[in-house]
Amino acid sequence: NLMDTKRIEKCLSESKGEEISGTDGPNLISVVRFHPQKSVDRLLIASDLAYRKGLHHTLYLIGGGEEEEKLRNLVKERDMHHVVFLGYQANPYGDMAKADLFVLPSLYEGFATVISESLIVGTPVLTTDVSGCHEQIVKPEQGWIVKNSQEGLNHGLEEALRDPERLKKMKEQLRSYHYPNEEILRQFMKVL
């Protein structure tokens, strides 16, 4: 899939990421529709388990949808003070860029453009194994692809949080990331 990198860069320059300010370990973010397909409840459970093991972090959720009340209740029941709901944002790129790790907990996707968007703004990704992710995350500094299960997400999140220095290094390496629009177009033209 081709990406409008110029539009993303323009939006990024207009958004300062002022919402991301957690100081209790790495800042995680997920920009997602609160729908059963997106499985945000699995992310909340994985986050809670990691936090209780001493892997402190702040988890920011950008989005809204039919499961919002259920998710807020889960956060309240588990007393998860490290989770922040930011609501829907038309331009989440500044917050995405400021985060240390983007997490996509989906059960399934067609092609998760949000993975590419996160890489474009310089934030590594932890994603469940969904369609297209192996074509997007092709280098170690780009992130992790984990088994598409609660256990896979738990393990992957813990692994990422155990090494905050690695997350910083990954973000530094992603400063030189260039989305391969030209290569995608070349391959498309070759097929024609």
Side-chain angles (χ1 to χ4, degrees), residues 140-179:
E141 70 267 16
Q142 294 172 344
W144 294 265
I145 300 170
V146 301
K147 189 174 177 183
N148 198 334
S149 66
Q150 183 67 64
E151 296 75 25
L153 196 55
N154 295 351
H155 177 75
L157 192 60
E158 285 181 26
E159 181 183 337
L161 290 171
R162 283 194 196 286
D163 195 351
E165 289 304 312
R166 181 178 179 196
L167 286 175
K168 287 179 186 174
K169 186 175 181 184
M170 291 168 80
K171 279 193 71 78
E172 288 171 18
Q173 291 172 313
L174 282 173
R175 286 185 188 152
S176 62
Y177 177 80
H178 175 73
Y179 189 79

Side-chain angles (χ1 to χ4, degrees), residues 30 81-82 85 98-99 110 120 126 134 137 148 150 167 170:
S30 192
H81 297 291
H82 67 282
F85 287 86
K98 204 166 176 190
I120 290 166
L126 185 145
H134 290 277
I137 299 175
N148 198 334
Q150 183 67 64
L167 286 175
M170 291 168 80

Side-chain angles (χ1 to χ4, degrees), residues 42-78:
R42 289 196 307 185
L43 172 56
L44 291 173
I45 291 166
S47 173
D48 186 38
L49 292 172
Y51 200 88
R52 290 174 191 268
K53 289 182 178 180
L55 299 169
H56 290 187
H57 60 280
T58 304
L59 172 61
Y60 295 90
L61 299 174
I62 294 178
E66 65 192 64
E67 289 206 324
E68 184 167 351
E69 184 177 349
K70 173 188 161 188
L71 297 171
R72 285 182 180 274
N73 286 337
L74 180 60
V75 166
K76 187 176 179 180
E77 288 166 14
R78 289 181 172 249

